[in-house]
């Protein structure tokens, strides 16, 4: 539970910082490596298949040199992770480096919970603006200061079963989905797939999951060539027409023919994984699990239905939790570690994510990596959550969106009333100062 707003967030975090020590101590088991190697404490929130892949990357960088050894600590995804990370930074117990979602950084930097990256030191190691797409590199900045360095982009995409889609007649001569450029064309394609599918044409799990609703909605909303503006103090800048068109299209998808009106995330995964549907709206993080089902699958970016190519995404990004007096030798090694991981992130691509480091995604090996290479263009089109201290992956913002719009999708409620409720909630948040910012300046 968040502390009352009248209680200083920094005082709360400082007083509770000792709680983070349990995770820190849990990471102190023996680690192989030379006795002269400096230990780097690294916190992240990656579990499941992503956690296994990250462990492999860490084993690789540990084995490749003898100057440092990375000691990882894995904490629970979402708010538990971000709370413990903030407490550690406020209480003088911060790890040397951490992973954050890029969309969450704006809520932490104003309160001094993160240190900035030195772009010159990064450039000396081959990490600079030329090695990232502009959208991903710029997302790491707040004003003129770089607070995060992206490992990847993980967009919302469209997977499809090539056998089912071939039977539906929606593939071109190269075996790819035929292009669709409007909501009407997408609905026509999806109905054709539904006609030859055992269950539904499209799997899309959203019930009780605000993040899933937001990912698709914001993809469609930004395809209108717009982004939401959330200025501190409010009001929220939301284009009513674009919002209603996006929600209305989502309603049309969920007609119990194209897609189930009452599917949660796990049931949608199960439907597609067992070959009972031909299309699947999901994140790239599900690619490896689908490949393990031995399905004939391919993947692509979500088609541009409202005029402007755009894809909702976030990035796992490296950050420097604040240290009052950082050890410069250790800090130099952190820079080396991040550069080493970026340059060796091909295995991260195999897990489905799009590596942020362009020399990896522009390599011949990546061009041969399928279906990942088929949606690599998403890195040029990413749209993150609108920046505010309360937005981002795992945030209440996405849950609030789901609470406002779920009945639009489940029971056909009025989209305009849902957007009004969502706007009212966001305006309330915008009037609330960032509790992590001691100046009360917000994001």
């Amino acid at each position: 539970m968040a502390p009352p707003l009248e209680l200083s967030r920094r005082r709360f975090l400082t007083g509770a910082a000792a709680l983070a020590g349990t995770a820190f101590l849990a990471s102190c088991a023996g680690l192989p490596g030379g006795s002269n190697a400096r230990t780097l404490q690294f916190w992240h929130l990656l579990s499941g298949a992503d956690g296994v892949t990250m462990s492999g990357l860490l084993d690789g960088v540990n084995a490749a040199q003898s100057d440092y050894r990375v000691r990882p600590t894995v904490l629970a995804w979402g708010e538990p992770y971000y709370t413990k990370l903030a407490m550690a930074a406020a209480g003088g117990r911060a790890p040397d480096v951490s992973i954050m979602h890029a969309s969450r950084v704006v809520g932490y930097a104003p309160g001094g919970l993160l240190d900035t990256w030195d772009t010159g030191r990064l450039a000396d190691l081959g990490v600079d603006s030329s090695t990232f797409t502009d959208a991903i590199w710029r997302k790491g900045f707040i004003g003129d200061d770089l607070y995060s360095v992206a490992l990847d982009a993980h967009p919302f995409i469209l997977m499809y079963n090539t056998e089912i889609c071939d039977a539906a007649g929606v593939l071109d001569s190269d075996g790819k989905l035929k292009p669709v450029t409007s909501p009407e064309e997408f609905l026509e394609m999806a109905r054709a797939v539904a006609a030859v599918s055992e269950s539904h044409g499209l799997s899309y799990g959203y019930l009780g999951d605000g993040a899933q609703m937001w990912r698709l909605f914001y993809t469609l909303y930004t395809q209108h060539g717009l982004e939401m503006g959330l200025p501190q103090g409010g009001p929220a800048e939301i284009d009513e027409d674009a919002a209603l068109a996006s929600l209305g299209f989502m309603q049309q998808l969920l007609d119990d023919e194209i897609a189930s009106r009452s599917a949660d995330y796990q049931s949608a995964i199960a439907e597609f994984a067992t070959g009972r549907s031909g299309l699947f709206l999901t994140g790239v993080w599900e690619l490896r699990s689908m490949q393990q089902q031995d399905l004939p699958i391919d993947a692509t970016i979500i088609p541009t239905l409202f005029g402007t190519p755009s894809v909702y995404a976030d990035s796992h990004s490296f950050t420097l939790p604040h240290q009052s007096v950082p050890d410069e030798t250790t800090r130099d090694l952190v820079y080396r570690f991040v550069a080493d991981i970026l340059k060796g992130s091909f295995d991260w691509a195999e897990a489905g994510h799009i590596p942020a480091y362009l020399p990896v995604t522009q390599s011949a090996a990546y061009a041969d990596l399928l279906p990942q290479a088929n949606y690599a263009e998403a890195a040029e089109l990413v749209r993150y959550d609108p920046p505010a201290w309360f937005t981002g992956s795992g945030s209440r913002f996405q849950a609030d969106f789901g609470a406002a719009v779920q009945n639009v999708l489940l029971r056909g409620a009025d989209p305009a009333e849902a957007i009004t409720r969502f706007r009212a909630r966001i305006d309330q948040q915008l009037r609330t100062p960032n509790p992590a910012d001691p100046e009360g300046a917000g994001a």
Side-chain angles (χ1 to χ4, degrees):
M1 179 179 295
L5 289 177
E6 63 269 16
L7 174 64
S8 162
R9 179 68 166 169
R10 179 165 290 278
R11 287 177 57 197
F12 167 78
L13 294 173
T14 301
L19 295 176
T22 55
F24 181 88
L25 293 174
S27 71
C28 290
L31 185 73
S35 59
N36 294 325
R38 187 72 62 104
T39 297
L40 305 182
Q41 301 291 345
F42 172 44
W43 286 16
H44 68 79
L45 70 174
L46 302 164
S47 59
D50 281 352
V52 172
T53 304
M54 177 55 71
S55 292
L57 293 180
L58 297 180
D59 288 344
V61 296
N62 280 337
Q65 46 71 51
S66 59
D67 293 328
Y68 67 80
R69 289 293 180 269
V70 180
R71 177 173 285 146
T73 296
V74 185
L75 297 166
W77 193 93
E79 283 305 321
Y81 175 79
Y82 286 108
T83 299
K84 288 179 180 178
L85 187 62
M87 289 190 299
R93 299 171 182 267
D96 299 306
V97 61
S98 63
I99 287 284
M100 292 181 68
H101 290 96
S103 61
R104 297 298 297 265
V105 171
V106 69
Y108 282 67
L113 297 175
L114 299 175
D115 291 338
T116 59
W117 291 93
D118 184 325
T119 55
R121 290 165 81 175
L122 287 170
D124 289 342
L125 295 165
V127 176
D128 59 29
S129 61
S130 71
T131 57
F132 295 79
T133 68
D134 184 64
I136 292 175
W137 177 252
R138 291 302 312 170
K139 184 59 182 175
F141 283 83
I142 298 175
D144 295 329
D145 294 319
L146 181 66
Y147 280 95
S148 66
V149 179
L151 169 63
D152 63 31
H154 43 277
F156 207 55
I157 61 169
L158 179 65
M159 294 186 196
Y160 56 99
N161 184 306
T162 55
E163 288 185 359
I164 295 174
C165 288
D166 185 41
V170 298
L171 300 185
D172 63 19
S173 58
D174 294 324
K176 307 298 181 186
L177 282 178
K178 293 177 180 178
V180 294
T181 58
S182 70
E184 294 74 22
E185 289 179 355
F186 190 94
L187 293 169
E188 181 180 354
M189 176 187 71
R191 290 191 184 101
V193 176
V196 297
S197 296
E198 179 182 335
S199 184
H200 298 94
L202 171 71
S203 295
Y204 171 54
Y206 75 93
L207 200 62
D209 191 335
Q212 278 290 96
M213 289 179 258
W214 173 255
R215 289 162 183 154
L216 180 56
F217 171 82
Y218 205 55
T219 294
L220 300 171
Y221 181 91
T222 55
Q223 286 188 359
H224 289 81
L226 301 165
E227 294 187 58
M228 286 187 187
L230 302 182
Q232 187 66 28
E237 299 165 358
I238 302 175
D239 186 281
E240 193 86 7
D241 291 339
L244 295 180
S246 302
L247 269 184
F249 174 68
M250 292 170 69
Q251 273 186 320
Q252 289 179 285
L253 288 177
L254 297 163
D255 63 356
D256 282 333
E257 174 192 355
I258 293 174
S260 171
R261 190 174 286 120
S262 57
D264 62 19
Y265 187 59
Q266 293 303 320
S267 63
I269 289 174
E271 182 179 61
F272 187 75
T274 53
R276 292 181 288 125
S277 64
L279 304 168
F280 184 29
L281 285 167
T282 187
V284 297
W285 50 88
E286 295 295 348
L287 178 61
R288 178 162 282 178
S289 63
M290 290 302 151
Q291 289 175 322
Q292 292 171 347
Q293 305 303 316
D294 198 28
L295 292 169
I297 63 169
D298 206 338
T300 184
I301 65 169
I302 294 174
T304 301
L305 307 180
F306 293 101
T308 302
S310 180
V311 180
Y312 169 82
D314 210 332
S315 294
H316 296 114
S317 298
F318 293 104
T319 57
L320 297 170
H322 176 64
Q323 294 181 347
S324 298
V325 186
D327 180 273
E328 286 305 313
T329 299
T330 298
R331 182 70 45 107
D332 278 338
L333 292 171
V334 166
Y335 277 74
R336 280 187 51 191
F337 158 62
V338 169
D340 289 345
I341 285 284
L342 292 176
K343 293 172 184 178
S345 59
F346 184 83
D347 286 351
W348 200 240
E350 291 185 326
H353 305 287
I354 304 173
Y357 194 64
L358 287 176
V360 173
T361 57
Q362 292 174 348
S363 68
Y366 189 85
D368 292 335
L369 185 65
L370 299 175
Q372 289 90 324
N374 292 336
Y375 57 77
E377 65 179 305
E380 302 277 355
L381 308 173
V382 295
R383 294 294 183 273
Y384 297 89
D385 271 16
W389 67 262
F390 52 84
T391 62
S393 293
S395 67
R396 281 298 312 169
F397 170 78
Q398 295 181 356
D400 288 341
F401 177 78
V405 309
Q406 178 165 287
N407 277 341
V408 173
L409 307 180
L410 181 62
R411 298 187 175 91
D414 183 5
E417 292 181 2
I419 293 300
T420 298
R421 286 194 300 274
F422 177 59
R423 187 193 297 272
R425 172 58 179 160
I426 298 311
D427 284 347
Q428 181 185 45
Q429 292 286 83
L430 290 171
R431 291 190 295 268
T432 303
N434 181 355
D437 183 358
E439 302 299 324

